Amino acid sequence: MSASWPYPTHIAHRGGGRLAPENTLAAMRVGAAHGFRMVEFDVKLSRDNVAFLLHDDDLDRTTDGCGPAGALPYTELVLLDAGGWHSPDYVGEPVASFQAVARYAIANHIACNVEIKPSPGREAETGTAVALTARALWQGATVAPLLSSFSEASLAAAQTAAPELPRALLVEQVPVDWRERLAKYDCVALNINQRDATPELIADVHAAGYRIAAWTVNEPARAQLLLSWGMDAIFTDELASISPLA
Ligand code: G3P
Ligand code: MG
Protein backbone atom coordinates (compact mmCIF):
# COMPACT_ATOMS: atom_id res chain seq x y z
CA MET A 1 0.00 0.00 0.00
CA SER A 2 1.12 3.57 -0.62
CA ALA A 3 3.33 4.85 2.17
CA SER A 4 2.40 8.50 1.70
CA TRP A 5 -0.80 8.44 3.75
CA PRO A 6 -0.27 10.19 7.06
CA TYR A 7 -3.94 11.11 7.34
CA PRO A 8 -6.50 10.31 10.07
CA THR A 9 -9.73 8.37 9.50
CA HIS A 10 -12.12 11.25 10.22
CA ILE A 11 -12.26 14.35 7.99
CA ALA A 12 -14.47 17.36 8.76
CA HIS A 13 -16.30 18.11 5.51
CA ARG A 14 -16.05 21.75 4.37
CA GLY A 15 -14.28 22.52 7.66
CA GLY A 16 -17.08 22.34 10.20
CA GLY A 17 -19.74 20.19 8.56
CA ARG A 18 -23.23 21.47 9.35
CA LEU A 19 -22.21 23.26 12.55
CA ALA A 20 -20.61 26.32 10.97
CA PRO A 21 -20.69 28.16 7.64
CA GLU A 22 -18.87 25.89 5.20
CA ASN A 23 -15.41 26.73 3.92
CA THR A 24 -14.70 29.54 6.41
CA LEU A 25 -12.00 29.95 9.02
CA ALA A 26 -14.76 29.72 11.66
CA ALA A 27 -15.65 26.29 10.26
CA MET A 28 -12.04 25.15 10.61
CA ARG A 29 -12.07 26.17 14.28
CA VAL A 30 -15.32 24.28 14.89
CA GLY A 31 -13.87 21.17 13.23
CA ALA A 32 -10.78 21.38 15.42
CA ALA A 33 -12.88 21.99 18.55
CA HIS A 34 -14.72 18.72 17.82
CA GLY A 35 -11.45 16.81 17.74
CA PHE A 36 -11.02 16.55 13.99
CA ARG A 37 -7.38 16.46 12.96
CA MET A 38 -8.17 16.78 9.26
CA VAL A 39 -10.42 19.10 7.27
CA GLU A 40 -11.64 19.14 3.68
CA PHE A 41 -12.39 22.39 1.88
CA ASP A 42 -13.04 23.63 -1.66
CA VAL A 43 -10.72 26.09 -3.41
CA LYS A 44 -11.20 28.18 -6.54
CA LEU A 45 -9.70 31.37 -8.04
CA SER A 46 -10.86 34.96 -7.95
CA ARG A 47 -10.85 36.94 -11.18
CA ASP A 48 -7.34 38.11 -10.31
CA ASN A 49 -6.14 34.60 -9.50
CA VAL A 50 -6.20 34.63 -5.70
CA ALA A 51 -7.10 31.20 -4.30
CA PHE A 52 -10.06 31.29 -1.89
CA LEU A 53 -12.63 28.91 -0.40
CA LEU A 54 -16.08 28.39 -1.90
CA HIS A 55 -18.02 25.30 -2.93
CA ASP A 56 -20.43 26.60 -5.55
CA ASP A 57 -19.70 28.29 -8.88
CA ASP A 58 -21.90 31.17 -7.71
CA LEU A 59 -21.80 33.31 -4.58
CA ASP A 60 -25.53 33.27 -3.90
CA ARG A 61 -26.05 30.28 -1.57
CA THR A 62 -23.21 30.84 0.90
CA THR A 63 -22.52 34.60 0.81
CA ASP A 64 -24.45 37.86 0.52
CA GLY A 65 -23.02 38.34 -2.96
CA CYS A 66 -24.44 37.05 -6.20
CA GLY A 67 -23.34 35.68 -9.52
CA PRO A 68 -20.22 33.78 -10.56
CA ALA A 69 -17.57 33.78 -7.82
CA GLY A 70 -14.72 33.76 -10.30
CA ALA A 71 -15.92 37.04 -11.83
CA LEU A 72 -14.95 39.15 -8.79
CA PRO A 73 -11.48 40.33 -7.82
CA TYR A 74 -10.29 39.22 -4.41
CA THR A 75 -10.62 42.75 -2.97
CA GLU A 76 -14.38 42.49 -3.56
CA LEU A 77 -14.71 38.88 -2.37
CA VAL A 78 -13.24 39.70 1.06
CA LEU A 79 -15.97 42.28 1.66
CA LEU A 80 -18.72 39.64 1.45
CA ASP A 81 -20.47 38.00 4.41
CA ALA A 82 -19.99 34.24 4.18
CA GLY A 83 -21.53 33.44 7.58
CA GLY A 84 -24.91 35.13 7.90
CA TRP A 85 -26.66 32.59 5.65
CA HIS A 86 -25.80 29.89 8.20
CA SER A 87 -26.92 31.43 11.51
CA PRO A 88 -26.84 34.72 13.45
CA ASP A 89 -23.73 33.66 15.37
CA TYR A 90 -21.70 33.81 12.20
CA VAL A 91 -22.87 37.10 10.70
CA GLY A 92 -19.87 38.93 9.28
CA GLU A 93 -17.66 35.86 8.85
CA PRO A 94 -15.58 36.67 5.76
CA VAL A 95 -14.80 34.58 2.72
CA ALA A 96 -11.62 32.69 3.59
CA SER A 97 -8.43 32.89 1.59
CA PHE A 98 -6.60 29.63 0.95
CA GLN A 99 -3.56 31.25 2.54
CA ALA A 100 -5.34 32.07 5.81
CA VAL A 101 -6.81 28.58 6.16
CA ALA A 102 -3.48 26.95 5.37
CA ARG A 103 -1.71 29.03 8.01
CA TYR A 104 -4.34 28.12 10.60
CA ALA A 105 -4.22 24.41 9.77
CA ILE A 106 -0.42 24.17 9.74
CA ALA A 107 -0.10 26.10 13.02
CA ASN A 108 -2.65 23.81 14.68
CA HIS A 109 -1.36 20.55 13.19
CA ILE A 110 -4.51 19.88 11.23
CA ALA A 111 -4.13 17.91 8.00
CA CYS A 112 -5.90 19.23 4.92
CA ASN A 113 -7.67 17.80 1.91
CA VAL A 114 -7.64 20.66 -0.57
CA GLU A 115 -10.39 20.01 -3.10
CA ILE A 116 -9.62 21.92 -6.29
CA LYS A 117 -13.06 23.19 -7.34
CA PRO A 118 -12.48 25.29 -10.48
CA SER A 119 -14.91 27.80 -11.89
CA PRO A 120 -16.14 26.47 -15.25
CA GLY A 121 -13.53 26.89 -17.96
CA ARG A 122 -10.67 27.54 -15.50
CA GLU A 123 -9.83 23.92 -14.69
CA ALA A 124 -6.16 23.79 -15.64
CA GLU A 125 -5.20 27.25 -14.39
CA THR A 126 -6.89 26.54 -11.05
CA GLY A 127 -5.07 23.21 -10.71
CA THR A 128 -1.76 24.89 -11.41
CA ALA A 129 -2.33 27.87 -9.11
CA VAL A 130 -3.66 25.82 -6.19
CA ALA A 131 -0.80 23.31 -6.41
CA LEU A 132 1.88 26.02 -6.58
CA THR A 133 0.27 27.94 -3.73
CA ALA A 134 -0.02 24.77 -1.64
CA ARG A 135 3.62 23.95 -2.27
CA ALA A 136 4.68 27.41 -1.04
CA LEU A 137 2.32 27.43 1.97
CA TRP A 138 3.20 23.95 3.22
CA GLN A 139 6.94 24.24 2.59
CA GLY A 140 8.70 22.57 5.53
CA ALA A 141 5.44 21.29 7.05
CA THR A 142 5.40 17.74 8.42
CA VAL A 143 2.22 16.60 6.67
CA ALA A 144 1.57 17.63 3.07
CA PRO A 145 -1.94 18.57 1.97
CA LEU A 146 -3.84 16.00 -0.07
CA LEU A 147 -4.98 17.64 -3.33
CA SER A 148 -8.12 16.24 -4.96
CA SER A 149 -10.52 17.15 -7.72
CA PHE A 150 -13.47 15.90 -9.73
CA SER A 151 -11.79 17.71 -12.61
CA GLU A 152 -9.14 15.56 -14.24
CA ALA A 153 -7.83 18.66 -16.04
CA SER A 154 -7.25 20.30 -12.65
CA LEU A 155 -5.61 17.18 -11.28
CA ALA A 156 -3.32 16.87 -14.32
CA ALA A 157 -2.31 20.52 -13.98
CA ALA A 158 -1.62 20.08 -10.26
CA GLN A 159 0.49 17.03 -11.04
CA THR A 160 2.59 18.97 -13.54
CA ALA A 161 2.96 22.01 -11.27
CA ALA A 162 3.80 20.24 -8.00
CA PRO A 163 4.27 16.52 -8.63
CA GLU A 164 5.53 15.94 -5.09
CA LEU A 165 2.17 16.84 -3.48
CA PRO A 166 -0.09 13.81 -2.91
CA ARG A 167 -3.22 13.63 -5.05
CA ALA A 168 -6.58 11.84 -4.89
CA LEU A 169 -8.95 11.29 -7.78
CA LEU A 170 -12.41 12.38 -6.69
CA VAL A 171 -15.26 10.61 -8.50
CA GLU A 172 -19.05 10.95 -8.57
CA GLN A 173 -19.24 7.32 -9.70
CA VAL A 174 -16.44 4.79 -9.65
CA PRO A 175 -15.21 4.45 -13.25
CA VAL A 176 -14.39 0.96 -14.52
CA ASP A 177 -10.88 2.13 -15.39
CA TRP A 178 -10.10 3.63 -11.95
CA ARG A 179 -6.73 1.84 -11.85
CA GLU A 180 -5.60 3.49 -15.08
CA ARG A 181 -6.83 6.92 -13.97
CA LEU A 182 -5.12 6.72 -10.58
CA ALA A 183 -1.89 5.68 -12.31
CA LYS A 184 -2.20 8.43 -14.93
CA TYR A 185 -2.30 11.19 -12.30
CA ASP A 186 0.08 9.34 -9.96
CA CYS A 187 -2.55 9.48 -7.20
CA VAL A 188 -2.29 8.02 -3.73
CA ALA A 189 -6.04 7.62 -3.26
CA LEU A 190 -9.50 7.28 -4.75
CA ASN A 191 -12.17 9.45 -3.10
CA ILE A 192 -15.60 7.95 -3.73
CA ASN A 193 -19.24 8.64 -3.01
CA GLN A 194 -19.97 6.61 0.12
CA ARG A 195 -22.95 4.90 -1.52
CA ASP A 196 -20.51 3.08 -3.85
CA ALA A 197 -18.44 1.60 -1.04
CA THR A 198 -18.21 -2.18 -0.83
CA PRO A 199 -15.72 -4.45 0.94
CA GLU A 200 -14.67 -5.73 -2.51
CA LEU A 201 -13.91 -2.26 -3.89
CA ILE A 202 -11.93 -1.34 -0.77
CA ALA A 203 -9.92 -4.56 -1.03
CA ASP A 204 -9.31 -4.03 -4.76
CA VAL A 205 -8.11 -0.44 -4.24
CA HIS A 206 -5.78 -1.56 -1.47
CA ALA A 207 -4.51 -4.48 -3.54
CA ALA A 208 -3.71 -2.02 -6.35
CA GLY A 209 -1.57 -0.01 -3.89
CA TYR A 210 -3.88 2.93 -3.22
CA ARG A 211 -5.93 4.32 -0.35
CA ILE A 212 -9.67 4.95 -0.46
CA ALA A 213 -11.84 7.60 1.23
CA ALA A 214 -15.62 8.16 1.14
CA TRP A 215 -17.75 11.31 1.14
CA THR A 216 -20.09 12.29 2.65
CA VAL A 217 -20.93 9.90 5.50
CA ASN A 218 -23.53 11.36 7.83
CA GLU A 219 -25.00 8.26 9.51
CA PRO A 220 -22.95 6.99 12.49
CA ALA A 221 -23.74 3.33 11.77
CA ARG A 222 -22.66 3.73 8.15
CA ALA A 223 -19.43 5.41 9.24
CA GLN A 224 -18.68 2.53 11.58
CA LEU A 225 -19.46 -0.02 8.86
CA LEU A 226 -17.23 1.61 6.24
CA LEU A 227 -14.34 1.90 8.70
CA SER A 228 -14.83 -1.76 9.68
CA TRP A 229 -14.49 -2.66 6.00
CA GLY A 230 -11.11 -0.93 5.93
CA MET A 231 -12.10 2.43 4.44
CA ASP A 232 -9.09 4.65 5.05
CA ALA A 233 -11.04 7.84 5.72
CA ILE A 234 -14.54 9.25 5.79
CA PHE A 235 -15.69 12.82 5.22
CA THR A 236 -18.55 13.88 7.46
CA ASP A 237 -20.86 16.84 8.10
CA GLU A 238 -21.99 15.36 11.44
CA LEU A 239 -19.14 16.38 13.69
CA ALA A 240 -20.96 15.64 16.93
CA SER A 241 -22.30 12.16 16.19
CA ILE A 242 -19.43 10.91 13.99
CA SER A 243 -16.48 11.82 16.15
CA PRO A 244 -12.82 10.90 15.93
CA LEU A 245 -12.84 11.03 19.72
CA ALA A 246 -15.46 8.26 20.08
O1 G3P B 1 -14.07 16.13 -1.38
C1 G3P B 1 -15.18 15.41 -0.96
C2 G3P B 1 -16.47 16.15 -1.19
O2 G3P B 1 -16.36 17.45 -0.68
C3 G3P B 1 -16.85 16.20 -2.63
O3 G3P B 1 -18.10 16.77 -2.86
O4 G3P B 1 -19.56 18.59 -3.62
O5 G3P B 1 -19.07 18.34 -1.19
O6 G3P B 1 -17.32 19.16 -2.74
P1 G3P B 1 -18.52 18.28 -2.58
MG1 MG C 1 -15.62 19.35 -1.39
Side-chain angles (χ1 to χ4, degrees):
M1 227 185 281
S2 164
S4 47
W5 187 265
Y7 307 115
T9 49
H10 289 65
I11 305 172
H13 189 228
R14 303 183 193 178
R18 295 194 211 283
L19 297 178
E22 64 188 56
N23 287 316
T24 62
L25 204 47
M28 308 302 147
R29 293 186 193 281
V30 167
H34 282 76
F36 282 75
R37 307 310 301 161
M38 185 162 186
V39 290
E40 181 266 2
F41 50 84
D42 308 293
V43 178
K44 50 174 45 71
L45 296 179
S46 66
R47 189 177 79 199
D48 50 345
N49 298 320
V50 178
F52 71 101
L53 275 60
L54 198 83
H55 179 275
D56 299 358
D57 293 341
D58 292 334
L59 294 161
D60 303 60
R61 181 178 64 86
T62 59
T63 78
D64 61 350
C66 62
L72 291 189
Y74 186 67
T75 50
E76 290 184 35
L77 288 168
V78 289
L79 298 177
L80 298 176
D81 182 333
W85 67 274
H86 179 273
S87 51
D89 282 352
Y90 292 106
V91 169
E93 179 68 25
V95 169
S97 71
F98 182 29
Q99 184 174 29
V101 168
R103 287 181 61 185
Y104 171 78
I106 294 164
N108 290 280
H109 308 290
I110 296 165
C112 292
N113 174 201
V114 180
E115 184 189 336
I116 305 167
K117 193 77 117 180
S119 294
R122 300 185 67 186
E123 289 78 8
E125 66 176 304
T126 305
T128 300
V130 171
L132 290 177
T133 306
R135 169 192 278 166
L137 291 170
W138 269 269
Q139 195 176 23
T142 319
V143 177
L146 177 66
L147 307 186
S148 65
S149 192
F150 286 115
S151 164
E152 294 193 27
S154 291
L155 215 51
Q159 180 185 14
T160 302
E164 78 282 9
L165 294 181
R167 284 170 298 283
L169 177 64
L170 185 50
V171 292
E172 295 278 3
Q173 285 190 312
V174 180
V176 287
D177 62 347
W178 58 264
R179 288 178 183 79
E180 289 74 15
R181 290 182 200 228
L182 289 175
K184 182 175 179 186
Y185 305 113
D186 194 19
C187 290
V188 297
L190 179 65
N191 289 2
I192 66 164
N193 186 319
Q194 63 85 23
R195 73 164 180 244
D196 293 335
T198 63
E200 293 73 27
L201 177 64
I202 294 168
D204 286 350
V205 170
H206 286 165
Y210 302 103
R211 301 292 186 141
I212 182 166
W215 50 275
T216 304
V217 186
N218 289 331
E219 294 292 328
R222 180 71 173 165
Q224 215 168 19
L225 183 65
L226 297 191
L227 293 171
S228 77
W229 288 345
M231 184 68 75
D232 292 292
I234 52 165
F235 299 83
T236 185
D237 292 315
E238 296 297 334
L239 307 194
S241 60
I242 301 180
S243 170
L245 303 175

